[in-house]
Amino acid sequence: MLERDKRVLELIKNLGICTRQQIQNVIFADVHENVCLRRLAMLSKREEIKREYFNLGDNKNAYIYYLDNKPNKDTIQSDLIITNYIIKLISEGYEIVESKRNTMVEDNTSNAIIKFKSKDKSKYVFLKLESEEGDFKSIYYNFKSESKEEIPNTLYLIDKGLNVVKRIKYK
């Protein structure tokens, strides 16, 4: 296995799900897209990664790459937006330590808890894709009261353009 294959596995582990284009932007930016396609096909054939073909709307179909559970087709669009946000953090120089997705099962939009590191300092954020439904604070408090894990004290609501619509810091 090549070093960049290991980087692909680590990236998919950190992102949860991603497209070929997202992987190419992070790891294979300086080579032709066929190189990325061949490496992903090889990793899939060896069962190092899994892939599933999804209709992403607007006559756009693509393979989605993942390691564990097959992505939910109802939340795939919003999951990929969160993946884009995590890629944005990576491109700004942050190291992604851990990310957990869709931590609220009854909710119909994507969310994630992301632990990232800049220099020596680790930070947690609770990331929620903007939704027309529900109150942002109540979503956070409901999650915090139901969860048995450490909950970030910073909550970000993002829109589809990866802009932070609202940032709330809790004590």
Side-chain angles (χ1 to χ4, degrees):
M1 183 179 293
L2 299 176
E3 185 61 37
R4 64 181 167 194
D5 295 338
K6 293 176 186 174
R7 288 181 50 214
V8 168
L9 293 173
E10 184 67 25
L11 182 68
I12 295 172
K13 177 184 168 204
N14 287 332
L15 297 177
I17 67 165
C18 49
T19 63
R20 187 255 334 142
Q21 184 66 50
Q22 292 167 326
I23 294 169
Q24 177 144 359
N25 290 344
V26 176
I27 298 175
F28 297 93
D30 56 342
V31 297
H32 193 274
E33 70 181 52
N34 287 345
V35 175
C36 181
L37 288 169
R38 283 194 307 268
R39 300 312 303 167
L40 291 171
M42 182 275 304
L43 288 169
S44 177
K45 186 176 180 180
R46 289 184 180 174
E47 298 181 352
E48 299 283 342
I49 61 175
K50 299 175 185 173
R51 68 181 182 177
E52 192 74 31
Y53 207 60
F54 280 90
N55 179 342
L56 301 178
D58 297 331
N59 296 323
K60 184 177 178 189
N61 298 316
Y63 278 117
I64 303 299
Y65 297 90
Y66 58 99
L67 294 178
D68 298 319
N69 299 329
K70 180 178 172 182
N72 182 337
K73 70 177 184 172
D74 296 332
T75 61
I76 194 77
Q77 295 285 6
S78 52
D79 284 339
L80 289 173
I81 292 169
I82 288 180
T83 294
N84 281 336
Y85 190 84
I86 296 171
I87 288 173
K88 182 178 174 184
L89 287 175
I90 292 169
S91 69
E92 292 174 1
Y94 295 106
E95 175 189 344
I96 306 302
V97 177
E98 178 182 13
S99 69
K100 296 179 186 173
R101 290 179 177 263
N102 300 319
T103 51
M104 297 183 295
V105 177
E106 74 283 348
D107 192 22
N108 65 351
T109 60
S110 295
N111 63 78
I113 294 178
I114 305 165
K115 181 178 181 182
F116 60 97
K117 197 161 80 169
S118 65
K119 298 181 183 171
D120 297 332
K121 191 173 183 181
S122 290
K123 297 179 183 181
Y124 278 95
V125 295
F126 180 85
L127 188 66
K128 179 82 174 119
L129 189 62
E130 184 177 31
S131 166
E132 295 178 9
E133 318 165 10
D135 174 34
F136 193 43
K137 287 183 182 180
S138 67
I139 289 170
Y140 177 82
Y141 285 124
N142 287 341
F143 178 72
K144 187 169 184 166
S145 67
E146 294 171 8
S147 180
K148 295 173 179 60
E149 56 189 281
E150 182 180 355
I151 305 302
N153 63 358
T154 307
L155 182 60
Y156 289 98
L157 180 67
I158 62 168
D159 64 15
K160 292 181 180 183
L162 306 183
N163 302 305
V164 175
V165 175
K166 197 175 217 179
R167 178 181 180 264
I168 302 173
K169 188 149 179 97
Y170 296 94
K171 295 179 181 176

